[in-house]
Amino acid sequence: MEQSSKTLCVGLDVHKDSIAVAYAPEDRGAEVVSMDAIGTRQCDIDKLIQKLQSKGAALVFVYEAGPCGYWLYRYLTRKGLRCDVVAPSLIPRKPGDRVKPDRRDAVMLARSMRSGDLTSIYVPQIEDEALRDLSRGREDAMRDLKAATYRLKAFLLRQDIRYEGRANWTAAHLRWLSEVGCPRPRRSKSSSRSTCAR
């Protein structure tokens, strides 16, 4: 089967539950066509590929890097299709163009891909991404731990409970923390009766 000399540049605006789609024929005079949004399941992607391939052109996909990750890039490239991922900061935009409807984003991506104005980013291998996720998870855990220690120290200070030892967060300090008891205000007899009555 001969490879088609025609190319369709397909812009995808990817979100958690939907993907806005637009394609631009390689002829620069041709209008960019906006399609209906599709779902994000693999069967939705397969239907889109079949629909576009029926036009008899080679397909080049492009989408912005974002929170949805690189699963779409990997899925399309496994099928032997070209897919570029671009950084949002590297996409040329008109000054003052702050409104970003999904459909317009897909059209703009397709048009910019056709004109060669987009610069692809490096898509990490699965192993690299797993290491990056581990590193991010550790950073998040350390940030949470730091915030928790600040909250605990502030709480103890408000209660005028002070550690007399040399350094915080040592084994001795943690033992002291496990034995700390906070004073509780005594209830009046009337309030205890009303609580029991409930």
Side-chain angles (χ1 to χ4, degrees), residues 10-188:
V10 185
L12 305 172
D13 192 47
V14 182
H15 295 278
K16 184 178 79 168
D17 299 317
S18 66
I19 302 174
V21 183
Y23 66 86
E26 64 183 338
D27 176 12
R28 294 198 180 202
E31 283 295 315
V32 179
V33 178
S34 178
M35 301 175 67
D36 289 335
I38 63 169
T40 56
R41 298 170 304 168
Q42 291 180 358
C43 61
D44 299 322
I45 309 296
D46 291 340
K47 283 178 191 171
L48 173 67
I49 292 168
Q50 288 172 355
K51 191 172 186 178
L52 293 172
Q53 283 179 334
S54 69
K55 299 182 183 302
L59 305 178
V60 176
F61 291 88
V62 62
Y63 71 95
E64 289 182 44
C68 294
Y70 302 111
W71 68 268
L72 183 56
Y73 168 86
R74 294 189 179 113
Y75 185 70
L76 292 169
T77 52
R78 271 199 308 270
K79 289 184 158 293
L81 298 165
R82 179 181 159 193
C83 180
D84 290 7
V85 181
V86 295
S89 59
L90 299 177
I91 298 172
R93 297 190 194 282
K94 294 177 184 173
D97 190 9
R98 295 174 193 273
V99 182
K100 284 173 44 90
D102 303 344
R103 189 170 283 194
R104 190 194 296 178
D105 266 2
V107 167
M108 183 266 304
L109 282 167
R111 185 179 289 122
S112 298
M113 189 68 182
R114 176 175 68 186
S115 61
D117 292 335
L118 297 178
T119 304
S120 301
I121 63 168
Y122 167 74
V123 176
Q125 299 293 321
I126 292 175
E127 295 80 9
D128 297 337
E129 198 171 8
L131 190 59
R132 188 183 292 175
D133 286 340
L134 178 64
S135 175
R136 284 176 180 158
R138 184 184 183 280
E139 286 172 10
D140 290 344
M142 295 305 291
R143 197 165 34 247
D144 292 346
L145 177 62
K146 196 172 188 179
T149 59
Y150 282 146
R151 281 195 299 271
L152 179 58
K153 285 171 82 172
F155 170 76
L156 293 173
L157 189 59
R158 284 195 305 273
Q159 305 300 318
D160 195 30
I161 299 171
R162 301 168 190 269
Y163 178 57
E164 302 297 333
R166 291 188 175 182
N168 289 335
W169 315 118
T170 60
H173 180 245
L174 294 174
R175 271 195 306 277
W176 173 80
L177 276 174
S178 69
E179 295 166 2
V180 166
C182 296
R184 285 180 291 180
R186 292 183 180 179
R187 289 184 184 170
S188 66

